[in-house]
Amino acid sequence: MAVEACSKPKLMDDMDEEDEPLVFKRSTSSSKQNQSNSQAQKSSSSQKHDRQLGRPMPDVHVRSQNGKSSVVQKGKMALSSKSPPVKSPLRSPEASNSSAKAYPLMPPEANLRPSATYRSDNVNRPMKVGKPSIGSAAEPNDSDDSEDDKPLSARLSTGLSKINSNNASKGSNASRLGQKPSIPKQEDSDDEKPLSSKVQLKSNVGTSYASKSYDSDEDKPLVAKNNQNGSALRDSSSKKPSTMLSKRPASEIKSAGQSLVKKHKLSNASVPINNKQASVKAEPKVEDDDDHVPISQRMKKPATADKKSSAVKNVTKVVSSSLNKTNKKSKKVIKKSQYSKSSKVPPGSGEGQKWTTLIHNGVIFPPPYQPHGVKILYKGKPVNLTPEQEEVATMFAVMLDTEYMSKPKFKENFMSDWRKILGKNHIIQNLEDCDFSPIYEWHQKEKEKKKQMSTEEKKTLKEEKLKQEEKYMWAIVNGVKEKVGNFRVEPPGLFRGRGEHPKMGKLKRRIRPSDITINIGKGAPIPECPIPGERWKEIRHDNTVTWLAFWNDPINPKEFKYVFLAASSTLKGQSDKEKYEKSRLLKDYIQGIRAAYTKDFASKDLTKKQIAVATYLIDKLALRAGNEKDDDEADTVGCCTLKVENVEPIPPNILKFDFLGKDSIRYQNEVEVEPAVFKAIQQFRSGKKAGDDIFDKLDTSKLNAHLKELMPGLTAKVFRTYNASITLDEMLSRETKGGDVAENVVVYQHANKEVAIICNHQRTVSKSHSAQMLRLNEKIEELKGVLEELTTDLSRAKKGKPPLKSADGKPKRNLNPEALEKKIAQTNAKIEKMERDKETKEDLKTVALGTSKINYLDPRITVAWCKRHEVPIEKIFNKSLLAKFTWAMDVDPSFRF
DNA sequence: CAAGAGACTTGACAATAAATAC
DNA sequence: GTATTTATTGTCAAGTCTCTTG
């Protein structure tokens, strides 16, 4: 199969030469093509842009989750029949450029930004809302409007929530925040269109958009507000572009550009045409324009008047068309999925087949434990430990300087497992009487030694390691050499659960070959077991899965740890692409979906009503689905598992969220919602206790089952992906003003940041953050001093006087006024740059941009934008991202999500 | 349908490497 | 050069979602 060379390889080459896989890949390509086609279709894109720009404010929208690639099966569902997905009217009618109007849809979404939570490093350092000393910090917010700059928390819509908290994990939580319940500021709102406009929806039943019956004005306002916020933010952002982030030398740019080009070409050339693509493309559909707009945005746009009328019209049209489309779509979908499968697999393969041939070398194990002989003290006296006992003691000692030491659960679990190894009657009976510091110190010294090694030594060591690992790094899949992701077996250690995990501190025992099941092609040589005298647990030849090996998680034997191919592999790329294609498909259905759930806000069927409200929250706030969790896991929630205590209704229609989400990251946000939603939440909460589920009639499987009736393959996470990508696409098109590369990069980062906020992707503030800010401020002050001096000299120079002596008493060179003015200008520029850097830094201190870039933003949006604006793709994607997204590199410049 | 098994994506953070500052 | 900072890569925990079972 494989032989076809594909673009991919090339790309890779470009990037990293060495690693490249030698083999040629086949044309997996299929995927690529699709895109291109579609893009082409899109031609309209330009139009789109315009519109977008034109649009009123964008609200921020948010929604969507990650999509997965499951497309395939879905196809099966014929959704169409079921609930017909509606397409958005928008598009069709594109005609109305005013894009806006059309959508009457939804609810006003508002802003969604979750506030961030801040987590301080462990400690909680609260961040204060106001910015700290650093002046700059404070600034960020410039006016209210620009919230962007503000810290996430601040941003929250209302700003209320700023509070932050550290990670919630720590328990604290909610309470602290409370502060500001401010309501959304109105300010925002205004700008945008009248809410009303937004709001109004018509109700349409079937598919049409939703409109809201309620439409009460209220909604509108909210929306507006929200939007505004969003807009505000954006604005601000736009302002700021100045900052330059770029650190790299200009030279790079060039190269980048070139490379981009190159790649592009290559890819094109290489791209094979697949059926798939064809099929995909076929759908001309999509691309249309507006639908994709996030709800929030839409709402804004529309002018009231128009809207309704236009909306109505559209609606009807839409409906009909939508139906048709629907069917088509569904079909398409199906096809797609099939294709995709096929594409993945070599032709001929059966259902669910992921590969035809698979060759790899298994996994590599960590080296055996090397006893160091350093003794811990028990009640002040050294204790002899066996190597096994010492190994576990060392695991604990090494963590002496972590937050885990302040967690009783951690110590308790550790002691419990260690005691099993010590034996019942061991001298050591009590953890409190143990002094691990000798081992801790020994470990610190070892670390120091390593650090002190000469570069030569380090290099040698590295090469040795590479030599040992090399054979495990690659697999040959369908004849193509692909990188393996995690070929190293996880070493033993103490379980580091996040948040208040009940199992933290437990011993994660060493994994042995007899724990590992290998999956490999029939006929391929079975990997040799790296540990003499031992053997694999099992050998399988299952080509319906993508894992190369797995073992049971020692902490939770019911779960598995898998060894997969790396993100840069064709297999992963294919599924990544499918994920984005699915979320793009949502664009076509979103209007109908919103209309449907809006209608169901009033349903008498409680389950239906809960599904509607949950879907609304997922759509608007990009919440995760929220599966049920066991008692032996950290207590975190998602949409379906929100508790009464997590959502506080604040009249007239604000919902205040405060809960621990994935990884025990706190989500805080206050959002205006449609009155119907507000009332529904009040109803769902009534008569329940703080810890009860708000959505008691719901779980993720019911929710997803319902979503699948609306669109093939639709699940809750798709909304997150959709929301993230559509936001990026719109912000880029709205805010790119044709500046230089550095300015465009700033625009991108700003959009990226917005998405990160929507998705609540946070990071801990680095320990040195405040020190760094302080230093920046000092420098700025210093420069200001210089500036003053220069100014004085200038005025003296103009009068023909010599400059004053410098502070240290040395005489200065006598410069002419022109030279001094030049210096002043330079200094001013320096100060400005530093101020911007400081702002950016403060702004991003709790926001993690990487997660959305890796998982939520369709790389084609980025690549196409880079091509359109001549930004070298390397300015946005690093080497691993470039490798991961090779499938997106040949996208047509006109591509729009 | 509920529970559980299974497979795969998403996520924060730690460890390293690379870039800058001193 | 060396010390810091910042960016990249690696780690592995924690989600989502599907499919199977009883």
Side-chain angles (χ1 to χ4, degrees), chain A residues 181-398:
Chain A
S182 35
I183 304 183
K185 351 185 109 247
Q186 323 193 331
E187 359 176 272
D188 342 353
S189 32
D190 1 349
D191 354 357
E192 322 282 8
K193 356 218 52 274
L195 313 177
S196 45
S197 50
K198 307 171 176 186
V199 181
Q200 355 200 352
L201 323 173
K202 12 228 29 291
S203 42
N204 15 335
V205 183
T207 356
S208 30
Y209 330 31
S211 48
K212 33 260 330 9
S213 0
Y214 348 100
D215 9 313
S216 37
D217 343 330
E218 321 174 332
D219 310 16
K220 306 175 176 185
L222 301 178
V223 177
K225 298 175 180 185
N226 298 324
N227 298 331
Q228 305 169 346
N229 290 338
S231 53
L233 297 177
R234 298 170 181 187
D235 300 348
S236 57
S237 52
S238 50
K239 308 170 180 178
K240 320 212 163 179
S242 39
T243 345
M244 27 200 355
L245 324 169
S246 47
K247 324 187 161 187
R248 287 103 189 246
S251 54
E252 270 192 56
I253 304 188
K254 281 186 181 177
S255 54
Q258 301 176 344
S259 56
L260 181 60
V261 177
K262 246 205 250 159
K263 291 177 183 178
H264 184 74
K265 289 181 182 178
L266 295 176
S267 51
N268 290 332
S270 54
V271 181
I273 303 183
N274 295 339
N275 343 344
K276 238 195 184 175
Q277 301 182 340
S279 60
V280 177
K281 306 178 168 182
E283 349 186 349
K285 44 158 158 219
V286 196
E287 329 296 4
D288 336 354
D289 346 33
D290 320 286
D291 329 3
H292 358 16
V293 182
I295 308 181
S296 44
Q297 304 185 347
R298 304 169 167 195
M299 324 224 29
K300 303 175 174 187
K301 313 177 173 186
T304 1
D306 313 336
K307 290 183 177 181
K308 287 194 176 179
S309 56
S310 59
V312 177
K313 293 178 185 179
N314 293 334
V315 177
T316 50
K317 290 180 185 177
V318 176
V319 177
S320 54
S321 59
S322 62
L323 291 178
N324 298 333
K325 289 182 181 179
T326 317
N327 296 330
K328 291 179 185 176
K329 286 184 181 178
S330 55
K331 288 182 186 175
K332 293 175 183 179
V333 176
I334 296 178
K335 283 184 184 176
K336 231 195 211 169
S337 53
Q338 296 178 342
Y339 284 114
S340 53
K341 284 185 180 180
S342 57
S343 57
K344 286 180 181 176
V345 187
S349 52
E351 269 251 334
Q353 187 174 324
K354 301 283 175 44
W355 47 265
T356 40
T357 65
L358 174 62
I359 304 172
H360 64 84
N361 293 308
V363 293
I364 186 169
F365 292 84
Y369 179 67
Q370 303 267 312
H372 47 66
V374 178
K375 296 178 173 51
I376 67 165
L377 307 178
Y378 189 70
K379 294 190 173 170
K381 293 182 182 150
V383 182
N384 284 315
L385 296 176
T386 65
E388 294 71 36
Q389 295 165 348
E390 180 191 285
E391 179 179 16
V392 180
T394 303
M395 293 171 186
F396 186 84
V398 163

Side-chain angles (χ1 to χ4, degrees), chain A residues 20 105 162 184 231 305 310 397 478 482 489 504 607 657 691 758 852 872:
Chain A
E20 301 273 340
L105 332 159
K162 327 191 138 214
S231 53
S310 59
N478 299 336
E482 305 267 22
V489 170
M504 66 173 79
T607 304
F657 293 85
I758 288 168
S852 52

Side-chain angles (χ1 to χ4, degrees), chain A residues 649-668:
Chain A
I650 300 176
N653 60 346
I654 292 176
L655 292 181
K656 180 174 171 183
F657 293 85
D658 192 341
F659 61 87
L660 296 188
K662 182 178 180 179
D663 291 322
S664 291
I665 294 296
R666 189 176 181 182
Y667 180 97
Q668 294 181 91

